[in-house]
Amino acid sequence: MLKLMIISSSIRQGRMSNRVALYFKNYLKEEYQINAGIIDLQEMNLPLLQERLKFLDNPPPALVTISQKIKNADGVLIITPEYNGGYPAALKNMMDGLREEWYRKPVAIASVSSGSFAASQVLTSLGFSLWKLKALLVPSFFQVAKVQDSFREDGSPVNKTRTDKNAASIIKELVWLATITK
Ligand SMILES: Cc1cc2nc3c(=O)[nH]c(=O)nc-3n(C[C@H](O)[C@H](O)[C@H](O)COP(=O)(O)O)c2cc1C
């Protein structure tokens, strides 16, 4: 069975992109019978990066946990909001703490916005950082506009048919890449 991890990267009070993380967890269970785990950066509460994990004598336990989860995963789906055209500091803080964990790791991006432009700018900034880390970026994206109108708090989509159709495309690519690199 394929092991997939979902990263929920907003730590904002009243965050909404976590709804999309919950949606994908349910989607993977329903469509692929995969029990994906969620790395919730709000819950992890990582301290600010002082050095990469492998160079630290006393690494933050949360970073060690995340490192193990990413290492063990065959593929990762990052749910990111767009903040001023980029990705949130909490995600950068976590990504920079690791290195080998990202190497040749299949990674897909779902970007989330409360506005109309569906967080299209964050795709290039996050994609570029993942490329620098030598992750294998899945060549398909999932973009959410007006998240507050398209997903309920429990992660259920307002328009399930349309949302599942969009999810099918990115998940098919992630599962394919994760399977051949496993
Ligand atoms: C600091 C900050 C900057 C933001 N910048 C953008 C932006 O550049 N583009 C955009 O579409 N939405 C932007 N938003 C709104 C987010 O799309 C919105 O908060 C959305 O719900 C996703 O983030 P969340 O999971 O933190 O709620 C910004 C929000 C914050 C807090």
Side-chain angles (χ1 to χ4, degrees), residues 10 12 15-17 81-85 112-114 147:
S10 174
R12 193 177 67 81
R15 65 184 176 170
M16 282 186 280
S17 56
E82 178 175 290
Y83 290 167
N84 299 314
V112 183
S113 169
S114 56
V147 58

Side-chain angles (χ1 to χ4, degrees), residues 23 27 30-31 142 150-152 155-169:
Y23 163 72
Y27 178 87
E30 262 176 40
E31 297 296 324
F142 182 93
S150 39
F151 289 87
R152 300 182 191 94
S156 61
V158 171
N159 185 336
K160 185 165 164 49
T161 310
R162 197 180 61 202
T163 311
D164 284 358
K165 191 167 172 249
N166 291 340
S169 159

Side-chain angles (χ1 to χ4, degrees), residues 86-164:
Y87 58 99
L91 179 58
K92 176 90 173 131
N93 189 44
M94 183 276 273
M95 281 170 60
D96 287 346
L98 310 176
R99 174 92 201 168
E100 288 76 13
E101 292 82 347
W102 298 113
Y103 182 65
R104 292 184 180 168
K105 186 69 67 183
V107 181
I109 303 174
S111 66
V112 183
S113 169
S114 56
S116 317
F117 296 107
S120 45
Q121 291 176 323
V122 68
L123 296 173
T124 44
S125 58
L126 180 54
F128 185 79
S129 295
L130 289 164
W131 177 62
K132 291 283 291 181
L133 287 163
K134 298 188 169 70
L136 301 177
L137 193 57
V138 167
S140 184
F141 303 114
F142 182 93
Q143 293 178 250
V144 177
K146 297 195 178 293
V147 58
Q148 66 281 8
D149 298 335
S150 39
F151 289 87
R152 300 182 191 94
E153 215 164 320
D154 64 358
S156 61
V158 171
N159 185 336
K160 185 165 164 49
T161 310
R162 197 180 61 202
T163 311
D164 284 358

Side-chain angles (χ1 to χ4, degrees), residues 5-9 39 41 70 76-79 91 94 102:
M5 288 303 307
I6 297 166
I7 297 175
S8 183
S9 31
I39 297 173
L41 295 188
I70 293 179
V76 174
L77 171 64
I78 299 180
I79 314 297
L91 179 58
M94 183 276 273
W102 298 113

